[in-house]
Amino acid sequence: MSGCSQSPIDLGVAVPSEPLDLAIDYSPSVHHGHDAGTTHNVPVSSGHSISYGGRGYELDSYHFHTPSEHSIAGEFAAAEIHLVHTNAAGDVAVLGVLVDEKEEAAGPLHFGEPTSIESLLPDTTTHYAYEGSLTRPPYTEGVVWIVMKERITRRPEWIETFKEQYGANNRPLQPLNGRTVTLG
Ligand SMILES: [Zn+2]
């Protein structure tokens, strides 16, 4: 099943690097999600894309993890959002957004409350990048991981309502096995 380039990993090993060009082109729109067993999954209609390192990807769906799956030097965030993109060539790119809990945060009280898609993104595009895998079966490798350095915030109620329904649904950290993680 799983090989030697699995996700998630600790990103604290990142090396500052000249980043690949990242352009996020999401149109303001609201999508409705559903209970997908281990997480809340939100399918997305067409019309949202990213360009990364000269390759284009279309956004297919997004979902949530608590606590975060990726850690930074051993520290996990309260939650992590995964925006899953694919393209006609079969490439997969996942954009990860770490979520900190904040008492007075803007945004919804409940994770399932439909929110406009661009509210899931931080303001800046500095990001960690590495090659890894899906973090759910079938753990397919060759996934381009882009984890945003800047985080978004959500209220404690948002985190709590997720945990009440799904508990901790983060996959354990996987060995780096010599891979390079960049930050830029
Ligand atoms: Zn995920």
Coordinates of all heavy atoms in Angstrom, one line a residue, residues 2 10 14 22 25 36 38 49 87 104-105 140 149 176:
S2 N 1.5 1.6 1.1 CA 2.2 2.8 1.1 C 3.7 2.7 0.8 O 4.3 1.7 1.2 CB 2.0 3.6 2.5 OG 2.4 2.8 3.5
D10 N 6.6 16.4 9.2 CA 6.9 17.6 9.9 C 7.6 18.6 8.9 O 8.6 18.1 8.3 CB 7.8 17.4 11.1 CG 8.0 18.6 11.9 OD1 8.9 19.4 11.6 OD2 7.2 18.8 12.9
A14 N 12.2 22.4 6.5 CA 12.2 23.2 5.3 C 13.5 24.0 5.1 O 14.0 24.6 6.0 CB 11.0 24.0 5.2
L22 N 3.3 30.4 -7.8 CA 2.0 29.9 -7.3 C 1.0 31.0 -7.5 O 1.1 32.1 -7.0 CB 2.0 29.5 -5.8 CG 0.7 29.2 -5.2 CD1 0.0 28.0 -5.8 CD2 0.9 29.0 -3.6
D25 N -6.5 31.0 -8.4 CA -7.6 31.7 -9.0 C -8.9 31.0 -8.7 O -9.4 30.2 -9.4 CB -7.3 31.6 -10.6 CG -8.3 32.4 -11.3 OD1 -9.0 33.3 -10.7 OD2 -8.4 32.3 -12.6
A36 N -18.5 12.7 5.0 CA -17.9 11.7 4.2 C -17.3 10.6 5.1 O -16.3 9.9 4.8 CB -16.8 12.3 3.3
T38 N -15.0 10.0 7.5 CA -13.9 10.4 8.4 C -13.7 11.9 8.4 O -12.9 12.4 9.1 CB -12.6 9.8 7.9 OG1 -12.4 10.1 6.5 CG2 -12.7 8.2 8.1
S49 N -9.1 27.3 -10.0 CA -7.9 26.6 -10.4 C -6.7 27.3 -9.7 O -6.7 28.3 -9.1 CB -7.7 26.8 -11.9 OG -7.7 28.1 -12.3
N87 N -5.5 17.5 -12.5 CA -5.6 18.0 -13.9 C -5.7 16.8 -14.9 O -5.8 15.7 -14.5 CB -4.3 18.9 -14.3 CG -3.0 18.1 -14.2 OD1 -3.0 16.9 -14.3 ND2 -1.9 18.8 -14.1
E104 N -11.8 35.7 18.8 CA -12.6 36.7 18.1 C -12.5 36.5 16.5 O -12.7 37.5 15.8 CB -12.2 38.1 18.5 CG -12.3 38.4 20.0 CD -13.7 38.3 20.5 OE1 -14.6 38.6 19.7 OE2 -13.9 37.8 21.6
A105 N -12.2 35.3 16.1 CA -11.9 35.2 14.6 C -13.2 35.5 13.8 O -14.3 35.2 14.3 CB -11.5 33.7 14.4
T140 N -2.0 7.3 -2.4 CA -1.3 7.4 -3.6 C -0.1 8.4 -3.5 O -0.3 9.5 -3.0 CB -2.3 7.9 -4.7 OG1 -3.4 7.0 -4.7 CG2 -1.6 7.8 -6.1
K149 N 2.3 29.1 4.5 CA 3.0 29.4 5.7 C 2.1 30.3 6.6 O 2.0 30.1 7.8 CB 4.2 30.2 5.4 CG 5.0 30.6 6.6 CD 6.4 31.1 6.3 CE 7.3 31.3 7.5 NZ 7.0 32.5 8.3
L176 N 10.5 11.2 6.6 CA 10.9 12.1 5.5 C 11.6 11.3 4.4 O 11.4 11.5 3.2 CB 11.8 13.2 6.1 CG 12.1 14.3 5.1 CD1 10.9 15.1 4.7 CD2 13.1 15.3 5.8

